[in-house]
Amino acid sequence: MEWYNAFIFMVGMILVLMIIRIPVAFAFLIANVVGVIVFMGGHFGIVQLTANATDALTNYSLVPIPLFLLMGELFFQTGIATRVFSVIDRLMGGLRGRLSYVTIAGGTIFSALSGSSLGNVAMMGSTLYPEMERNNYSRFLSLGPIVATGGLAAIIPPSGLAVVLGSIAGIDVGRLLLAGVVPGVGLALAYAALVFFWTVIRPEAAPLYEVAHTPLREKVILAVTNLLPMGIVVFMVVGLIILGIATPTESAAFGVVSVLILAAFFRCLTIGAIVRAAAGAMRISGMILLIILASSTFSQILSISGATRGLIAQIQSMEVGVYLLLFYMGLVLAVLGAFLDPVGIMMLTIPVFLPLAASYGIDPIWMGIFILIFIEFGLATPPFGLALYVMMGAARNRNIIDISVSVAPFLLITLIMVVIITIYPEIVLYLPSLIVN
């Protein structure tokens, strides 16, 4: 079978199965079984499929996934996340567009503490959006920041998606996590700048209203007693990796312990919260690990069939420049993001994109962040971006068009960030270079 027929056969089969609403994990499992029979021989292929599944799930680098998810669940279930937003709200005072800034600042902090994009959107949508509605904020300043900032959890560590991507692609997970810090924080600052610009030219979009005055001394106390301790968790996850003291798995475990200590310090740690957090983390972890199991053979089938090698050779023969190649990759990721979930996108693209990037001398860690940014982009892309539907659940008076139009300027900023890190890749690669081996 020619390489292009093999590629169309495998990818087409998965897309058809997804279109008829077969869950992603099972769509890949079915395609893998058919693929190993066609390209690897019946009995031998099935034996190899089983061996790959075992190897995939006994990978030490996957351990941070349930631990990072548990961190996020503990923040939500113990009420620490709500506490963070309340404190930031009081620190902002009577600033015009205050709630939009609270969304961006609080959402960025929660992204750095939980790693859950959809959880971020759901929490901010249910807590902040109703207050924005009561105070007559425009759709652009209420819906846009919530959906856009929620997606930062895909980039800022501890990103569960980054761990999945690193595991599937064979990229150093610790360096990949650190690589997302600067572009993630940069996007948050750019979102805040957009809100400021909009409130200057359209002040009626965020009417001023009276808020309780908080003295400076009380603000300092609030920041020291409520926000400063969050830095301990960030240090446990990011700082220990940079210093070479802990691996990503160990730092994830330290992170969970530090959240438990923090919850006890705030007197909001209960058995019920721990049980709910553990149950939520187990459900999501099981789903992700099942998907990884299903994807374990997919890249191998593409390689054995000659599809990966043929595609790379074809693109190289066309003498496509590196910037045009990245443009095409981004276009594919954006289109897939409008229809598929993030892990499904990674499973389809990584086996092709990473070898292509390597053939052009593109750093794999930079490529990983490139993919994660477009996954964040896809979460907010109509018609099927998952973050849009989570926001619809929180804002029941808004439809998919309202939310999509509101988030569009923030998505444009995301694309500008992609251009910037393409021109200056050191923005992504500087922090990973600091890791002490």
Side-chain angles (χ1 to χ4, degrees), residues 145-164:
I146 292 175
V147 177
T149 308
L152 292 180
I155 307 168
I156 297 176
S159 167
L161 287 175
V163 177
V164 175

Side-chain angles (χ1 to χ4, degrees), residues 42-85:
H43 179 265
F44 172 78
I46 297 298
V47 171
Q48 188 63 41
L49 177 64
T50 306
N52 286 350
T54 304
D55 292 340
L57 294 186
T58 54
N59 189 340
Y60 181 69
S61 64
L62 294 178
V63 178
I65 294 174
L67 291 175
F68 284 148
L69 289 170
L70 181 58
M71 278 180 58
E73 289 289 332
L74 284 170
F75 269 110
F76 181 76
Q77 297 296 343
T78 58
I80 293 178
T82 305
R83 187 188 191 103
V84 169
F85 280 99

